[in-house]
Amino acid sequence: MLFNSLAFALFFPIVVLLYFLCPHKYRWILLLIASYYFYMCWKAEYALLILLSTVVDYFVAIKMSKIPEKQQRRKWLYISLFVNLGLLFTFKYLDFFSGSLNTLFQSFNLLAEIPAFKLLLPVGISFYTFQTLSYSVDVYNGKVEPERHFGIFALYVSFFPQLVAGPIERPGRLLPQFRERVKFDYERVVDGLRMMFWGFFMKLVIADNAVGIVDTVYRSPEKYEGLQVILATFLFAFQIFCDFAGYSIIAIGAAKVIGFDLMQNFNRPYFATSIREFWQRWHISLSTWFRDYCYIPLGGNRTVKWRWYYNLMVTFVVSGLWHGANWTFVVWGFLHGLYLIAAIIWKPYADKFYVRSGMSELPTLSRVLQIFTTFILACLAWVFFRAQSVADAMTIFKKMPNISLGQFRWDLFPKYTYQLKTVLFFIAVLLIIHILEEFRGIRNPLFSKHQPVRWVAYVVFGLIILSFGAFSSSQFIYFRF
Amino acid sequence: MMKQKVFLFFGKIILLVLLWMIGGALIRSATGLPYAWVTDRMLAGDKMLHRQDKDYNAVFVGSSRVYRGVVPHVFDNFVSKHSNKKIKSFNYGIGGSTSGMIYGQARELIADKSLDLDYIFIELRSLETSLREAAFVKNLHTHRSRIWVNDFQALRFGIRSMWGIKGADWDTLKKIRYTGYFLLKYIECKLNVGGMIRMWEASNKEVKVKKELCQEGWCPMDYAKDVDIKKLRKKFVKSASHTLKSNRENSKIFASGLQAESFPSYNKPYAEELIELIIEAAERDITLMVVALPMMKGHDYENIYPVFAALPTKHKIDIADSGANPELYMFDHCWDDTHANEAGARLLTQRLAQRFLKVQLGKEVKIPYWQKKEKQAKIKQHQEKDKKSKDQNEVESDQSGIPADTEAVQQD
C-alpha cells in the first residue's frame, strides 16, 4: 500500500480510530494485523519473507541471551546473518551477480552461463532485513535484551509506518514503545498530521511533478543538451530528496499520530557544508546503521590512515550496493567514499586557505560557498545514482559543459512546460521554508501562528497539494531499495 | 473523555475537508477552466466543434467505434439527398470512451449554449464492458474517468446504472466497492485533485488538427500509425472467420423483437437514465438518438439489447443486427474485431443515415451499395444460368443470395 494512495487514505483513519478505541492490551494485535495487511496489499505471499525473518531472529535472539559466552553466541548470530542477508542476496542481488559473472565469462571467452532468475524484488526487503539484523547484532553484543513476546517482536519487524522505506529503527528505541500506554494527545496527533501534510507536499507537489522531466532526459540522455541535462539533474536532486524525505516524514508523522516516536531521517541535507555533514543529514537512519554495524566493526577511524580510508571506502561502496543491484550505485557509493577521503586529505590545506584568504572574516559567505560546493558534488554523484548505466552517466557528463544561460526557455521540455514552472516554483517555496528553519531557527514556519492563521495555512496548503499534486499513485523511489 | 476528544478531532478533520471542497469549488469557478478534459483528441474535437464558420447541427458521440466508423460528410450528403433536412454533422468520438463518458459528454453538449444543435447521436455501450474493474481502477484518478462524475447527476447515473447490472459476477459486495469508487472520484472532482496542471495545460494547449486525415472529426483506422492498432489488425486477420461468425450470431438478438422486460439481465436504471437524457435534450430542442453499432464484443450484444429495446422508438437506431446489415459484418469492411475500416465506415454511415431517415421521417431509402451488390449477384446468377444452359448442365446454381465477398469470409 502506498502512502499516496486512496487505499491508505481509507486505511489510516480506520486504523487510528480503532487504535484509540481499542484497550491498550489488544493494541499490538490491531497494529500487527494492520501492518501485515498494509504489506500484503502489495503482494500477499511476500509477507512470508517478513514472517521468516521474524521467526528466525526471534528464536536466535532468545537462544543468544541464554549463552553467556560471546564466542559461543556467534554461531547463532551467523544464522541470523545467513538468513537475512541470504534473503536480501537472493531477491535483490542474485541476477546482478550472475549477470556480472556472465559478462566476465564472456570476456574470457568462457562458455559457462548462469541463468537469470528474474525474481520480483520484495518491497522494503532492504529495510526490514536491516532492522532485524540490528536487533540480532545488538542482542549478540548484549546491548538489548531479547524481546520475549513474539507478537511485539513481529510488530517491531513489520510496523507499518516504517516497514517498506524506513526510517530503519533500532530495537532499543522502538521495542519499548510498543509497551507504553498511549493516550489520545491532541497536540501530538495534530503534530503528526502536520508532518504527514508536509510529507505529502514534498512527495506529490515536488517529487512527482519532477518525474516526467527527469525520466525523459535520463531515459535517453544522448538526445538532450547541456542545460537540459543540468536542469534534469538539478530536478532529480530535489525529486529524490522530496520523494524519500517526504516518505520518511509521512512515516514519522503517521507513527506520531498513534503515539510512536521514530527517528529523524532527514535534516535539510542540501544545507550541509561538507559531504561528511551531508551524510549526517541524509538518510540518517541508514548512515548511522552503516556507521554502527559496518564502519565501526571494520575499525572506524581509530586505526592507521590507509585502513581508515579503506574502511570509509568499503562502507560507502556497500552502502551504494544496498541502494540497488547495479554498477551505477556502486560508482555512486565509491564517489561518496572518494569525496570523504579527499576531504580528509584536503582538510589541513583547506583550513590554511580559509584563514589566509580572509574567508574566516566572512563566515556567512564562506558557509554559502560550502553549501553550494557540497550541493554540486552531491548532484554530480546523483548522475550515477539516476542513470540507467555507467555509460549513460558518462554521456550526461559529456553533455553538461555545453551550456549557456541564454538557452533557458520554459519550453525546454515541451511536454512538461507547466510541470517545470510548478516544480521550480514549489522548490523555491521549499527552499525559503528550509532557509527560515536553517538560518533563523524558526520551527514549522507554516503552522506555528495563531489558530485562525494556522487554519488558513491548512486550507491553502491543502488546496495546493490537491490541485498541484500529481496523483498518479507513483511509487516512492526508495521502495526499490 | 478520551473518546469525546477523538470524535471532536475527527469532527475538525471533516470540517477541514469541507473547507477544501469549498476552496476547490471556488478555484474552479474563479479560473473558469475546463474540468473534465480527457485526451488531446477531445481537445481537438472541442476546438473543431466550436469553429465559428462551421455551424454544426449534429454531433456523434461515442468510443473509437464512432471516431473511426462514422463519416460525417457521408451522413450529411445521404440525408440531404433523400430528404429536405440539412445536416452538418461532426464526429466527436473518443477512443476508449466508456458509457459514463459518453453520457457525460452528451450532457455537456446539451448544456453548451454556444452550439446550436438539432441532433446528438450517442453510441450505446455496454455498462459491463465500461466497468471492467482492472481498467476502471487504473483510470480511477485520471481525467478520463472524471467525466463520469463531474457533477451530481453524472454521479447518480454512474451509481444507479451500475446497481442495475445483473450478473453472476456482480454481487452486492462488488457493487458496494464500485459505489466507493464512484464516491471517491466524485470527491476528487470536488476537491480538484491533481487537476490544476492538466487544466492549465489544456487551456493553453495548441491542438493541431490534421486536415488531410481527420474530416469533420472522422479518422479511419486505415491511417492510424499506432503500432498497437496494427497489432489488432494482425490479430483480427488470424481469427476473422470465427470472430465474424460469432458476431453475426450474437447480433441476431437485435432482430428478435423481444421486450426488455423478458430479459432477466435487463438494466432498467440504465435505460431510465438514458430516457431522462433524451428528455433533457428535448427540453433544449435537441433530438437525442441512441445508436446500437455493429461489431460489438462477445456478451455486449445481450447486455445492450434489453436497454436498447426499452428506449423510445423515435430515439434509437439499430445497425447492429447482422441480418439487416450483413455488409457491416464482412471481412472486407472491418479493420479489427470491433472497428470498421475506411470502406466499412462509409457503409456504416450510410446505414446509419438510412435508419435515421426511417426513424425520424418514416422514409425508406435503399442504399446504393447494397443495390449494386444485389444487381451484381443477379447478373452473376444469370451468367451462370446461361453458361449452364449452354453446356446443358443440370446442376443448380447458387441461390443463396449471399454476396461473393461474404462467402469468401465464410471460407476463411
Side-chain angles (χ1 to χ4, degrees):
Chain A
M1 193 185 293
L2 297 168
F3 281 166
N4 57 331
S5 67
L6 278 171
F8 185 75
L10 291 172
F11 166 86
F12 187 63
I14 293 169
V15 170
V16 172
L17 190 64
L18 292 176
Y19 181 78
F20 285 115
L21 294 176
C22 187
H24 171 72
K25 62 177 176 178
Y26 301 120
R27 280 180 178 174
W28 70 268
I29 302 173
L30 174 76
L31 285 183
L32 190 61
I33 293 168
S35 297
Y36 269 81
Y37 175 77
F38 179 87
Y39 192 83
M40 286 161 82
C41 281
W42 170 70
K43 197 165 174 62
E45 53 268 40
Y46 274 13
L48 288 173
L49 298 178
I50 303 180
L51 192 64
L52 173 68
S53 190
T54 306
V55 171
V56 169
D57 285 315
Y58 174 77
F59 287 108
V60 160
I62 286 177
K63 204 78 193 166
M64 283 195 291
S65 69
K66 289 175 183 166
I67 303 168
E69 285 297 308
K70 201 171 177 180
Q71 197 68 27
Q72 288 175 329
R73 288 205 293 265
R74 190 166 289 172
K75 63 180 178 194
W76 291 101
L77 177 68
Y78 286 155
I79 292 173
S80 170
L81 288 172
F82 177 78
V83 171
N84 287 301
L85 295 179
L87 283 177
L88 199 56
F89 180 84
T90 310
F91 284 93
K92 193 168 177 177
Y93 301 106
L94 198 56
D95 281 350
F96 169 66
F97 280 105
S98 63
S100 300
L101 280 175
N102 285 337
T103 314
L104 197 69
F105 292 157
Q106 277 170 10
S107 62
F108 286 104
N109 290 329
L110 292 171
L111 290 172
E113 192 179 333
I114 307 164
F117 294 90
K118 291 182 180 167
L119 294 170
L120 181 65
L121 179 69
V123 165
I125 190 166
S126 310
F127 291 89
Y128 68 75
T129 49
F130 267 43
Q131 186 155 311
T132 52
L133 273 179
S134 70
Y135 170 77
S136 303
V137 176
D138 283 1
V139 173
Y140 167 77
N141 286 326
K143 279 187 186 171
V144 291
E145 282 297 309
E147 175 56 60
R148 302 205 177 258
H149 190 303
F150 182 76
I152 298 271
F153 179 69
L155 189 52
Y156 163 76
V157 181
S158 64
F159 187 43
F160 79 86
Q162 42 89 253
L163 170 63
V164 287
I168 303 165
E169 275 298 339
R170 303 301 172 77
R173 263 181 62 86
L174 188 57
L175 274 171
Q177 292 188 52
F178 291 118
R179 296 188 188 283
E180 278 172 25
R181 198 171 282 272
V182 177
K183 282 188 177 170
F184 182 83
D185 176 350
Y186 180 83
E187 284 304 318
R188 195 198 56 234
V189 171
V190 171
D191 214 25
L193 287 177
R194 279 184 202 139
M195 291 182 88
M196 291 176 79
F197 214 46
W198 183 240
F200 281 121
F201 168 75
M202 290 172 79
K203 164 70 181 163
L204 297 167
V205 180
I206 299 179
D208 285 356
N209 276 319
V211 172
I213 296 169
V214 174
D215 284 1
T216 306
V217 172
Y218 274 83
R219 203 178 295 129
S220 34
E222 67 286 348
K223 289 182 188 167
Y224 297 90
E225 285 311 317
L227 193 59
Q228 287 167 315
V229 294
I230 287 174
L231 199 54
T233 305
F234 171 81
L235 290 182
F236 179 66
F238 279 92
Q239 185 205 339
I240 189 151
F241 167 59
C242 291
D243 189 283
F244 191 26
Y247 182 92
S248 293
I249 295 169
I250 298 168
I252 296 165
K256 198 166 199 159
V257 169
I258 47 176
F260 291 84
D261 225 356
L262 299 183
M263 71 186 292
Q264 189 186 12
N265 217 13
F266 288 85
N267 182 23
R268 297 179 294 279
Y270 293 142
F271 285 86
T273 52
S274 66
I275 289 294
R276 185 169 171 269
E277 194 190 339
F278 176 81
W279 280 104
Q280 287 164 355
R281 289 166 172 255
W282 179 277
H283 203 175
I284 299 164
S285 66
L286 181 76
S287 46
T288 51
W289 195 100
F290 272 108
R291 183 196 64 201
D292 296 345
Y293 301 105
C294 180
Y295 178 65
I296 291 173
L298 280 170
N301 60 357
R302 291 177 181 176
T303 177
V304 287
K305 269 198 172 172
W306 73 264
R307 179 70 201 194
W308 179 18
Y309 299 156
Y310 170 81
N311 295 343
L312 271 174
M313 194 51 92
V314 168
T315 306
F316 274 93
V317 168
V318 174
S319 159
L321 204 56
W322 177 89
H323 282 85
N326 194 329
W327 286 107
T328 52
F329 294 109
V330 177
V331 176
W332 173 77
F334 179 80
L335 206 54
H336 271 281
L338 213 60
Y339 285 161
L340 282 169
I341 294 166
I344 294 165
I345 297 169
W346 175 248
K347 197 173 180 303
Y349 307 104
D351 289 345
K352 275 182 196 168
F353 175 77
Y354 185 65
V355 176
R356 283 180 192 168
S357 63
M359 290 294 277
S360 54
E361 305 292 317
L362 302 162
T364 311
L365 178 68
S366 164
R367 191 176 171 195
V368 170
L369 281 175
Q370 284 172 331
I371 289 172
F372 184 71
T373 313
T374 309
F375 178 69
I376 298 289
L377 290 172
C379 282
L380 292 176
W382 285 136
V383 172
F384 284 102
F385 193 94
R386 178 60 187 84
Q388 289 175 336
S389 65
V390 176
D392 273 6
M394 297 320 287
T395 309
I396 298 254
F397 285 125
K398 275 181 203 161
K399 297 269 186 172
M400 276 183 174
N402 307 327
I403 178 184
S404 75
L405 281 176
Q407 288 175 324
F408 184 79
R409 297 183 320 273
W410 284 114
D411 61 345
L412 269 175
F413 307 97
K415 258 182 90 176
Y416 301 103
T417 307
Y418 296 101
Q419 271 93 342
L420 182 62
K421 286 178 181 175
T422 307
V423 84
L424 288 180
F425 175 76
F426 287 112
I427 285 175
V429 172
L430 177 87
L431 287 175
I432 289 167
I433 291 166
H434 277 189
I435 285 168
L436 289 173
E437 288 177 340
E438 183 76 24
F439 293 97
R440 301 270 170 187
I442 303 169
R443 195 177 162 264
N444 289 334
L446 278 177
F447 304 123
S448 58
K449 301 281 177 195
H450 303 292
Q451 197 184 39
V453 181
R454 207 165 53 233
W455 270 79
V456 170
Y458 293 152
V459 173
V460 172
F461 222 62
L463 287 173
I464 287 173
I465 295 172
L466 291 168
S467 305
F468 290 96
F471 286 83
S472 50
S473 286
S474 66
Q475 274 207 354
F476 288 87
I477 296 175
Y478 265 69
F479 273 27
R480 297 197 294 261
F481 303 148
Chain B
M1 190 65 185
M2 195 177 83
K3 279 181 188 171
Q4 268 182 334
K5 273 186 179 177
V6 172
F7 286 115
L8 185 70
F9 168 76
F10 274 94
K12 282 187 177 182
I13 295 287
I14 290 165
L15 177 67
L16 193 59
V17 172
L18 283 174
L19 286 172
W20 284 334
M21 287 182 116
I22 294 166
L26 285 174
I27 286 173
R28 258 180 300 160
S29 62
T31 52
L33 291 169
Y35 190 69
W37 294 122
V38 179
T39 60
D40 284 359
R41 160 73 188 161
M42 190 162 176
L43 284 174
D46 189 67
K47 197 175 173 183
M48 289 170 81
L49 183 62
H50 285 88
R51 281 178 297 191
Q52 295 298 312
D53 57 323
K54 292 293 179 181
D55 287 336
Y56 294 110
N57 66 346
V59 179
F60 297 98
V61 180
S63 66
S64 58
R65 296 167 70 232
V66 167
Y67 169 32
R68 308 293 192 178
V70 178
V71 195
H73 70 265
V74 171
F75 185 87
D76 302 350
N77 292 342
F78 191 95
V79 173
S80 64
K81 193 178 168 185
H82 299 286
S83 72
N84 55 3
K85 267 200 183 302
K86 288 281 170 258
I87 299 271
K88 180 75 185 148
S89 65
F90 178 76
N91 182 334
Y92 204 175
I94 295 170
S97 264
T98 54
S99 48
M101 279 176 68
I102 294 166
Y103 172 86
Q105 223 182 324
R107 279 192 53 237
E108 279 188 2
L109 288 170
I110 292 167
D112 193 336
K113 285 176 185 159
S114 67
L115 297 169
D116 188 16
L117 298 177
D118 295 323
Y119 295 98
I120 296 174
F121 297 85
I122 66 166
E123 177 193 354
L124 182 60
R125 284 213 76 185
S126 155
L127 206 62
E128 288 84 341
T129 305
S130 297
L131 290 170
R132 273 183 302 211
E133 197 154 11
F136 192 77
V137 172
K138 197 178 167 190
N139 279 329
L140 201 59
H141 312 295
T142 63
H143 291 263
R144 178 178 278 280
S145 71
R146 286 194 185 149
I147 201 164
W148 273 85
V149 283
N150 58 0
D151 64 15
F152 188 74
Q153 197 178 327
L155 173 73
R156 193 196 65 183
F157 167 79
I159 293 179
R160 252 195 95 198
S161 50
M162 180 270 297
W163 275 91
I165 299 174
K166 289 159 193 158
D169 56 339
W170 278 90
D171 53 29
T172 312
L173 215 62
K174 186 174 178 180
K175 286 177 181 175
I176 291 171
R177 199 162 65 238
Y178 265 81
T179 308
Y181 293 152
F182 277 115
L183 287 172
L184 283 169
K185 267 204 262 187
Y186 181 69
I187 293 167
E188 270 193 1
C189 262
K190 291 292 144 198
L191 291 172
N192 279 342
V193 171
M196 194 57 89
I197 294 177
R198 188 73 178 95
M199 279 199 278
W200 203 0
E201 272 178 343
S203 58
N204 289 292
K205 193 161 191 169
E206 259 194 59
V207 182
K208 287 174 189 165
V209 179
K210 291 176 186 169
K211 281 181 189 167
E212 72 277 13
L213 289 180
C214 302
Q215 298 161 8
E216 313 299 349
W218 172 60
C219 194
M221 287 295 267
D222 314 48
Y223 296 103
K225 286 174 183 168
D226 196 332
V227 183
D228 290 337
I229 290 179
K230 286 174 183 164
K231 276 183 192 165
L232 283 177
R233 170 75 183 164
K234 274 186 185 170
K235 199 179 159 193
F236 170 67
V237 171
K238 277 183 190 168
S239 59
S241 171
H242 172 75
T243 309
L244 289 167
K245 195 179 170 188
S246 78
N247 277 358
R248 274 193 290 264
E249 279 304 310
N250 291 333
S251 76
K252 282 178 184 164
I253 196 170
F254 275 82
S256 67
L258 290 167
Q259 295 290 307
E261 281 76 13
S262 57
F263 290 88
S265 64
Y266 170 44
N267 186 342
K268 199 176 173 190
Y270 186 18
E272 283 172 355
E273 287 289 341
L274 290 175
I275 291 166
E276 275 186 39
L277 193 65
I278 290 168
I279 295 166
E280 196 181 320
E283 282 166 2
R284 282 216 54 219
D285 289 333
I286 298 170
T287 307
L288 191 123
M289 308 289 299
V290 181
V291 184
L293 288 170
M295 296 294 285
M296 295 180 205
K297 277 194 171 164
H299 295 290
D300 284 0
Y301 287 100
E302 59 184 82
N303 290 334
I304 282 175
Y305 176 72
V307 175
F308 186 79
L311 298 175
T313 319
K314 277 260 176 190
H315 291 272
K316 61 181 176 184
I317 295 175
D318 160 31
I319 50 170
D321 173 22
S322 64
N325 312 283
E327 75 278 20
L328 303 181
Y329 286 84
M330 287 176 186
F331 178 78
D332 286 356
H333 301 145
C334 297
W335 171 268
D336 60 25
D337 58 350
T338 48
H339 300 96
N341 61 13
E342 187 175 0
R346 290 175 194 281
L347 282 170
L348 183 149
T349 313
Q350 282 185 355
R351 274 288 184 216
L352 187 61
Q354 184 205 31
R355 296 286 191 273
F356 168 71
L357 288 175
K358 191 181 176 188
V359 169
Q360 282 293 311
L361 306 175
K363 197 165 186 174
E364 284 279 5
V365 182
K366 285 220 165 190
I367 289 184
Y369 167 84
W370 196 244
Q371 284 175 317
K372 199 175 147 189
K373 283 281 169 188
E374 280 173 344
K375 208 173 164 182
Q376 279 175 350
K378 276 178 188 168
I379 291 166
K380 202 177 169 187
Q381 271 181 17
H382 283 297
Q383 283 172 343
E384 278 176 3
K385 270 185 186 174
D386 289 346
K387 201 181 170 189
K388 281 168 194 168
S389 60
K390 273 181 191 171
D391 296 344
Q392 293 182 338
N393 189 340
E394 288 184 348
V395 178
E396 277 186 15
S397 60
D398 181 15
Q399 299 290 316
S400 65
I402 299 169
D405 47 3
T406 315
E407 285 186 321
V409 174
Q410 286 174 336
Q411 283 157 12
D412 270 347

